[in-house]
Amino acid sequence: MMIRVSKQELLELPSLLSAMGYSVIAPIRTGGIVKLAPLGSDIQPELEYVRVVNSPKKFLLPDDELLFRYRSTATITSYGLKIRFPTAEGPCPVAILPEYNPVRERLALFGIHQCMVNSVRYLDTVMLRDPADPYYKNRRDGMFIAELDCDAGDEYCMCRTLGTYKVPAGYADIRMRKSGDGYLIEEATEAGKELLSKLKRQDVKGKYPISVPKMVKDFELVTRDDQEIDAKEASRSLVACTLCAACTVTCPTCYCMDIEDKFSLIDPSNVGRTRTKMSCQRRCYSTIAGGTTFLAAKEERFKWRVKHKFPFSINAFKLVGCTGCGNCIACCPAGIDFREFVGRRVA
Amino acid sequence: MKLAFYALTSCEGCLTTLITNLGPNLEGLWRMFDIDYFKLVREPVGGVRIPKADIAFVEGAVVTDRDRKTLNEIRNNSSFVVALGTCASSGNIAYTASRAVDLDAKHLRDLEISPAEPLSSVVAVDFELSGCPVSAKEFTDALLRLINSMEPIQPDYSVCYECRSKGNPCLLDAKRVCLGPLAMGGCGAACPTVGSPCYSCRGPAVEADLNAYLIVLEKKGIGKERALMMLRMFTGKKAKELLKDEQ
Amino acid sequence: MIQESLEKMNPYIPKPATVIAVKNESLETKTLRLELYNWRTDFVPGQFVQLLLPGVGEAPFCIASSQSDQKHIDLTIIRRGILTTSVHYLRPGDAVGIRGPFGKPFPLEALEDRDLLIIATGIGIAALKSLIIYAVENRKRFNNVMLLYGARFIEDLVYRDELKQWEKSIDASITLSKAPPEWQGLRGRVTDHLGALNIGKGTVAAVCGSPTVMSSIADALVVHGISTSDIYVSLERHMKCGIGKCARCLIPGGKHVCTDGPVFRLSEISAGAIGE
C-alpha cells in the first residue's frame, strides 16, 4: 500500500509510533547540525537534511553498555598494594555469579536516510551472525525503521558509487519520500502496514518511485584490494591528521569495541563488565602486552580503517562496510578524503 | 590501606572537586581507607607531620621553598605518589605566569618563591592524573586500579574523540580556536559540549601532533597565534616539548 | 544446567572454575589447573578459552591439557602484561571465570594417518600441547609424529616432566639457541634442524611461536617441500569478545582470529598476517 500525506500528517507518525510502544529516535536540528536523538513531545523531527553527525550505531551499540554484573568476594582493607582475589568459599566457587537482566526497549528510527538503513544492515550482518550478540539482538528485534529518501547528497556523499542509496528488502518498515508539496509513504512490512492503517488514508495507485540521489562529486572505486591499499601512497594527505578519531566515531558502521571491568568505591566487590567504544585510530587498539603497537604510524591506521571497510568486510561478511554517508570526511578537522584514496573522480 | 591528600601551591580546587563530585563514592572512600591527612576535610591525625601512606595524592605546583620541603617529605613517607591535577602534573598557569614576572623584585624575594614547577621536576612521581580540576571519575578509576595492583591508565585519545561521540558541532568549523585535537581526553569534552573551546587543561594528548594541528587551523582559515597562546596557558611544562619549534 | 543455558543465551557470561593446582614451569611461566564448576567442556585441540580474573580483566589462552578430561583444563601462562602478572598471584582455591572454548581447532581428521610435525618455539608450545597430548594418546592414528621444540635458554623450557613422557611414544627433540656448555641436546634455531628430520610431501606441520619466528619457520617448511595447505599455524592476537563481534583480532585479509582461527592453514591467510 502506498499513501500520499501532507507534511503535517507525516509528522503525526512519531506520536503514533510512541503510542504503539516505541521509543522514537529521529533527526533533530540543534546548533547548526542535525543529529539523531530521542524525540521529545515538543520537538519536531527534521525532514530537510542531508547528514546526521551520529548514526543508528549510537543506539544499537551504545557506548559504556553494562553487559552484566558479577560479585566477587574481594576486599581492599589489606595493607599495602596487594592483589586480593576472590576466594572460593568451600567447594563451590560462589565468587562469580553473573547477574544478567536483559532490558527490552523497542526502538523506532524515524526519518533516517538510505545510507543509515544500510549501516543497520551491516551491523546486523556482523552482530547477528552465529553466535548472535544478545544485547544487539535484544534491541534489534522488534525495532521499527521509517526510512526517508534522500534525493541529493552533499559534497562528501558517495552512496551512488556504492549502491547504498537502495534500501535492502526487509530493512525499512515504511519508506517515505517528498513528492510535490506532500509525501509519499509506502509500507514495506507488516509493522509498517499497521502504522499506516492508523492514518486512514486512501491507497494511491502507481509504483513507489526509485531515484538515484544526485551527487556533488562522483567517484568510481579503483582500489579495494588488500595489497593495493597497502601499496598506495597516503602519507601526503595524512600530514594534517591529528588522530582525533572523529572518522571512526562518526562512522555508522565502525563497530570495534573494548570490554572492561568497572567498579565503584561504593561497593568494590560488585563489578560491572562493560562494553565501551574503541577506535583503530587510538594507540591502545593495537598495543599488546609488552608495549608493541602494530599500527604505529598514521598511515597504517588510516589504511587499516579503509581495509576494514573494503577488503576485510568483503571477505568476512560479503558486504562492503562503507555506506557512503561521508561522515568521516565531513567530520574530519583535516578534511581527509578517503574517496580520493580508494576512488577516482569522474565527471 | 592508608591514603593521604596534600595540597601545595594551588587553589585546592582538585581536592574540593573530590569532595563535591565523588558523590556516594566519598562515603566509600572514608569507610574503606585510613585517611590520616586530608586537611580540607578534617584535622590531620598526626598534626603537621607528614604521615606514612600507601598512596599520596598531591595537588598543586611547587612554588615556595616550603612546597619543596613538604614534597620531599611526602615522597619519603609514601609508597606511591600520584600528582593530582594539572598544577601537579605540568605546572598549569603558574608555570608560564611565574616565568613572566621578575621574582627577584624586592616584594617577592621575601616570599622565597621560585618559578613554578610540576612535582616531577622535584621528586619521582608514580602517576599523573591531569585535569583542571581533576575528574572525580578518573580519580576513582585510578584508585580502584591501584588497589588491585594495576597501573592506572592515561586516556590515549584526544578531546575530539569524546566530543564527536556526543555529536557536538565542531567549534573549528565555526572558525573558533579549539585545542580539542591536541588535548588529552577523558574529561568527556566538558567545555566544547557547552560551546566553549577546549584550552587543553589536561595537557597534550599522548599522540598530540602540533604540526598536523597547525595545518588544520590553516585549512580552516584560523590564525595560529591564539592557539599557541591558549596552549601555553594550561599545559605548562608539558607544552615545552611540543612547542619547541614554535618559540 | 543453569550455566549452560545462560551461555546459550549470552556468550559474554563466564562460567565459574576453581584453581586447584599451580605449577611453576619456569621462572616466568606457570600452569594453572582449573576445575570446572558444574559444567564440562568439550574442546578440540587448538581451541582457546577466555580467562576472566575478577576485577582484572579477560584474556585468551589456548587450552593446554588433554581433550579426554572434560572436568579440568590447564592453561600455561607467561608473565607479560597486567593480567598475566596477576595470574601469577593466583593460589589453589581462587575462583576465576571461563568463557569458551572458542575458535576453530586443528582439523584432526586431516592430520590423521599422516606424518605429523609439530614445531613450537618459546611459549608457543602451550598452544600445541593439547595436540601433542592427542597425538600421544592416539598414537596409532598417526604415522610418524615429530616434535621440535625450540627455546632460547635452558631456563625457558617448560613441560619438562611431560616431555619425558612424550619421548616414549613420539620423536621429540629440543633445541636451544643460547645453550649452556653442558647441554646435551640440539643447539641453534629450529629452522637449523629441519633438514635432519624426515619430512616431505606427505607431512603435515603444526606451528606456533612468536610472529617473526613463525613466519621464518613457515618459509623454511615450504622450502622443505611441504605445501602451504599442509602447514597449520596457531596465531595469537589481542581479543576481547571471542565471538567475532569486537573486531580487535582482525588480521590482514579480514579474518577474525577468534572465529576463523586461531588455527589457520598457511594457504588461507595472506603472507603479512602472521607477522603483523
Side-chain angles (χ1 to χ4, degrees):
Chain A
M1 181 167 119
M2 184 165 73
I3 58 169
R4 175 179 287 280
V5 294
S6 68
K7 187 176 177 184
Q8 218 45 48
E9 287 168 308
L10 184 95
L11 290 173
E12 282 170 27
L13 288 175
S15 47
L16 286 174
L17 280 168
S18 350
M20 286 163 80
Y22 290 104
S23 328
V24 185
I25 286 155
I28 289 164
R29 191 174 289 275
T30 157
I33 51 159
V34 180
K35 64 178 172 186
L36 293 176
L39 200 62
S41 52
D42 52 340
I43 316 167
Q44 291 253 303
E46 173 66 41
L47 298 174
E48 314 280 325
Y49 73 97
V50 176
R51 74 175 54 257
V52 282
V53 292
N54 55 4
S55 60
K57 171 180 88 169
K58 186 177 162 67
F59 304 96
L60 283 166
L61 284 173
D63 187 20
D64 252 345
E65 179 179 17
L66 177 72
L67 300 182
F68 58 88
R69 294 198 154 278
Y70 63 87
R71 288 210 150 262
S72 68
T73 49
T75 49
I76 53 159
T77 47
S78 64
Y79 240 85
L81 299 174
K82 268 187 193 158
I83 279 206
R84 292 286 300 260
F85 279 106
T87 307
E89 288 159 357
C92 158
V94 288
I96 299 175
L97 272 180
E99 302 159 26
Y100 165 55
N101 306 306
V103 261
R104 276 199 84 89
E105 188 192 24
R106 286 164 77 208
L107 293 176
L109 297 175
F110 181 82
I112 56 169
H113 286 332
Q114 298 98 310
C115 48
M116 292 302 160
V117 177
N118 275 289
S119 82
V120 175
R121 179 194 185 189
Y122 180 80
L123 293 178
D124 276 5
T125 314
V126 177
M127 290 294 157
L128 298 181
R129 68 179 191 148
D130 192 50
D133 184 275
Y135 306 94
Y136 183 88
K137 193 167 184 301
N138 237 325
R139 287 196 198 86
R140 189 65 183 88
D141 286 351
M143 192 172 98
F144 192 95
I145 297 181
E147 181 262 344
L148 176 68
D149 276 1
C150 172
D151 272 330
D154 61 15
E155 55 184 310
Y156 310 116
C157 291
M158 197 174 69
C159 64
R160 196 154 111 167
T161 314
L162 295 164
T164 43
Y165 59 87
K166 292 177 222 148
V167 174
Y171 279 90
D173 293 288
I174 55 168
R175 301 194 56 181
M176 310 180 282
R177 66 175 292 116
K178 202 168 162 105
S179 165
D181 45 4
Y183 283 85
L184 279 177
I185 312 179
E186 188 200 40
E187 65 179 44
T189 62
E190 279 304 309
K193 191 174 183 175
E194 194 193 332
L195 177 74
L196 291 198
S197 68
K198 290 180 201 283
L199 282 177
K200 299 195 178 67
R201 294 303 300 246
Q202 279 297 309
D203 206 347
V204 183
K205 289 239 150 47
K207 257 186 92 117
Y208 185 80
I210 290 172
S211 71
V212 185
K214 281 197 277 298
M215 296 284 114
V216 176
K217 290 179 183 172
D218 232 341
F219 284 84
E220 64 170 333
L221 273 184
V222 288
T223 318
R224 54 200 296 171
D225 185 50
D226 220 340
Q227 279 83 30
E228 279 170 19
I229 291 173
D230 275 331
K232 207 159 179 172
E233 151 82 24
S235 54
R236 254 208 11 250
S237 55
L238 290 176
V239 214
C241 171
T242 56
L243 288 174
C244 71
C247 45
T248 62
V249 170
T250 56
C251 174
T253 61
C254 270
Y255 61 91
C256 288
M257 289 289 192
D258 209 359
I259 297 174
E260 55 190 26
D261 281 350
K262 292 210 168 155
F263 1 33
S264 75
L265 277 172
I266 308 167
D267 179 7
S269 63
N270 189 349
V271 188
R273 210 157 170 70
T274 41
R275 184 155 65 172
T276 53
K277 65 177 185 296
M278 186 28 86
S279 161
C280 54
Q281 307 301 305
R282 285 174 61 179
R283 190 175 65 170
C284 66
Y285 174 85
S286 60
T287 304
I288 53 160
T292 318
T293 305
F294 289 127
L295 308 173
K298 281 182 201 176
E299 189 173 348
E300 288 171 289
R301 293 189 200 174
F302 169 77
K303 283 182 177 171
W304 188 263
R305 174 166 73 91
V306 175
K307 280 193 276 187
H308 198 170
K309 295 296 163 216
F310 294 96
F312 293 179
S313 289
I314 293 166
N315 289 344
F317 314 119
K318 312 273 175 290
L319 191 66
V320 174
C322 178
T323 67
C325 73
N327 268 0
C328 57
I329 314 166
C331 292
C332 177
I336 292 162
D337 191 341
F338 81 99
R339 294 175 303 180
E340 278 158 15
F341 182 77
V342 296
R344 187 185 322 126
R345 184 89 186 266
V346 287
Chain B
M1 185 177 277
K2 279 182 188 290
L3 304 185
F5 296 83
Y6 307 98
L8 304 179
T9 300
S10 63
C11 64
E12 303 216 15
C14 290
L15 294 183
T16 314
T17 303
L18 291 189
I19 296 168
T20 53
N21 288 9
L22 273 177
N25 282 320
L26 187 67
E27 203 196 313
L29 187 75
W30 284 91
R31 196 178 61 237
M32 273 175 303
F33 300 96
D34 299 324
I35 304 176
D36 286 350
Y37 199 106
F38 198 154
K39 249 184 179 170
L40 218 54
V41 177
R42 65 165 190 208
E43 188 96 336
V45 174
V48 290
R49 252 188 34 248
I50 300 292
K52 291 247 179 257
D54 295 298
I55 311 171
F57 293 91
V58 187
E59 170 195 335
V62 185
V63 178
T64 63
D65 290 355
R66 202 186 131 117
D67 285 345
R68 219 167 273 266
K69 213 175 121 249
T70 316
L71 182 58
N72 277 313
E73 216 168 313
I74 292 169
R75 178 72 265 187
N76 291 339
N77 283 308
S78 322
S79 330
F80 202 90
V81 173
V82 180
L84 198 66
T86 306
C87 292
S89 62
S90 72
N92 207 344
I93 296 178
Y95 186 84
T96 328
S98 62
R99 278 162 181 76
V101 292
D102 179 17
L103 293 176
D104 287 328
K106 195 178 177 314
H107 64 287
L108 288 175
R109 212 180 320 151
D110 301 337
L111 295 171
E112 294 181 326
I113 58 176
S114 37
E117 288 288 350
L119 305 189
S120 54
S121 313
V122 181
V123 294
V125 175
D126 299 300
F127 189 72
E128 290 177 345
L129 266 174
S130 278
C132 185
V134 81
S135 127
K137 190 186 160 291
E138 275 199 311
F139 165 81
T140 320
D141 289 350
L143 181 62
L144 283 163
R145 281 183 75 88
L146 278 174
I147 58 178
N148 274 304
S149 259
M150 294 185 278
E151 204 186 329
I153 315 169
Q154 295 271 19
D156 68 338
Y157 46 84
S158 63
V159 170
C160 290
Y161 185 65
E162 288 167 313
C163 192
R164 282 297 186 182
S165 50
K166 283 192 169 178
N168 296 332
C170 184
L171 292 170
L172 289 170
D173 285 344
K175 289 202 187 295
R176 289 177 69 186
V177 182
C178 174
L179 294 184
L182 279 184
M184 183 188 283
C187 53
C191 301
T193 304
V194 294
S196 152
C198 172
Y199 271 71
S200 186
C201 75
R202 303 162 65 85
V206 182
E207 295 184 311
D209 187 340
L210 184 66
N211 187 33
Y213 177 68
L214 294 179
I215 300 173
V216 168
L217 287 187
E218 204 182 310
K219 278 191 179 176
K220 303 263 178 204
I222 308 171
K224 69 174 185 179
E225 290 71 27
R226 190 176 159 75
L228 293 177
M229 185 272 286
M230 280 162 69
L231 191 58
R232 285 197 190 94
M233 189 181 286
F234 279 98
T235 40
K237 195 176 179 187
K238 284 200 175 150
K240 240 177 144 180
E241 180 64 19
L242 208 59
L243 288 165
K244 64 178 188 297
D245 300 328
E246 294 292 334
Q247 297 306 334
Chain C
M1 287 167 156
I2 310 163
Q3 299 296 346
E4 269 156 36
S5 61
L6 203 61
E7 189 192 14
K8 237 182 226 128
M9 202 167 85
N10 187 338
Y12 289 98
I13 291 186
K15 294 165 283 184
T18 319
V19 179
I20 55 166
V22 181
K23 187 181 174 198
N24 290 318
E25 298 281 0
S26 75
L27 219 57
E28 290 202 300
T29 316
K30 287 191 186 200
T31 298
L32 304 179
R33 187 156 189 79
L34 304 175
E35 188 172 270
L36 312 179
Y37 177 70
N38 234 348
W39 59 286
R40 286 166 183 280
T41 178
D42 190 10
F43 76 95
V44 182
Q47 287 190 300
F48 70 93
V49 291
Q50 286 273 10
L51 171 70
L52 169 81
L53 294 192
V56 182
E58 240 183 14
F61 296 100
C62 277
I63 303 173
S65 52
S66 167
Q67 185 192 24
S68 53
D69 186 353
Q70 298 195 325
K71 278 302 287 173
H72 300 91
I73 53 174
D74 285 0
L75 303 175
T76 301
I77 297 165
I78 187 161
R79 188 196 303 234
R80 279 287 177 270
I82 288 167
L83 186 119
T84 50
T85 306
S86 308
V87 162
H88 282 236
Y89 290 95
L90 284 173
R91 289 173 305 245
D94 287 345
V96 294
I98 293 288
R99 291 199 292 130
F102 294 127
K104 228 173 63 189
F106 286 103
L108 294 174
E109 272 98 69
L111 306 183
E112 285 169 7
D113 295 321
R114 300 182 69 173
D115 289 341
L116 175 64
L117 169 64
I118 301 170
I119 304 181
T121 64
I123 196 62
I125 195 164
L128 299 172
K129 190 184 174 195
S130 55
L131 178 67
I132 301 170
I133 295 175
Y134 181 84
V136 170
E137 285 177 356
N138 305 283
R139 184 65 189 84
K140 290 207 181 77
R141 298 192 193 171
F142 298 88
N143 294 338
N144 250 331
V145 179
M146 295 160 277
L147 167 67
L148 184 54
Y149 172 30
R152 281 171 78 188
F153 299 101
I154 193 162
E155 292 82 5
D156 295 342
L157 290 177
V158 298
Y159 302 147
R160 294 170 199 222
D161 303 335
E162 287 93 333
L163 277 163
K164 285 194 193 99
Q165 288 299 313
W166 299 339
E167 272 170 356
K168 291 176 190 160
S169 49
I170 63 171
D171 176 12
S173 42
I174 304 170
T175 174
L176 295 178
S177 59
K178 302 258 168 72
E182 68 276 11
W183 174 249
Q184 301 282 311
L186 302 172
R187 287 163 187 271
R189 295 166 185 277
V190 285
T191 41
D192 302 337
H193 303 291
L194 290 176
L197 294 170
N198 181 23
I199 51 177
K201 274 209 152 52
T203 313
V204 277
V207 186
C208 188
S210 74
T212 40
V213 175
M214 224 173 352
S215 37
S216 66
I217 294 173
D219 292 345
L221 287 175
V222 173
V223 172
H224 278 86
I226 305 184
S227 94
T228 50
S229 58
D230 282 337
I231 301 172
Y232 295 90
V233 290
S234 176
L235 299 188
E236 191 205 345
R237 280 295 181 284
H238 199 56
M239 46 180 94
K240 293 286 177 184
C241 70
I243 51 172
K245 308 295 178 208
C246 72
R248 293 300 288 282
C249 62
L250 265 183
I251 53 168
K255 289 199 172 358
H256 293 80
V257 173
C258 64
T259 50
D260 302 320
V263 176
F264 289 96
R265 271 177 189 218
L266 195 61
S267 53
E268 61 182 355
I269 51 175
S270 58
I274 303 178
E276 192 160 347

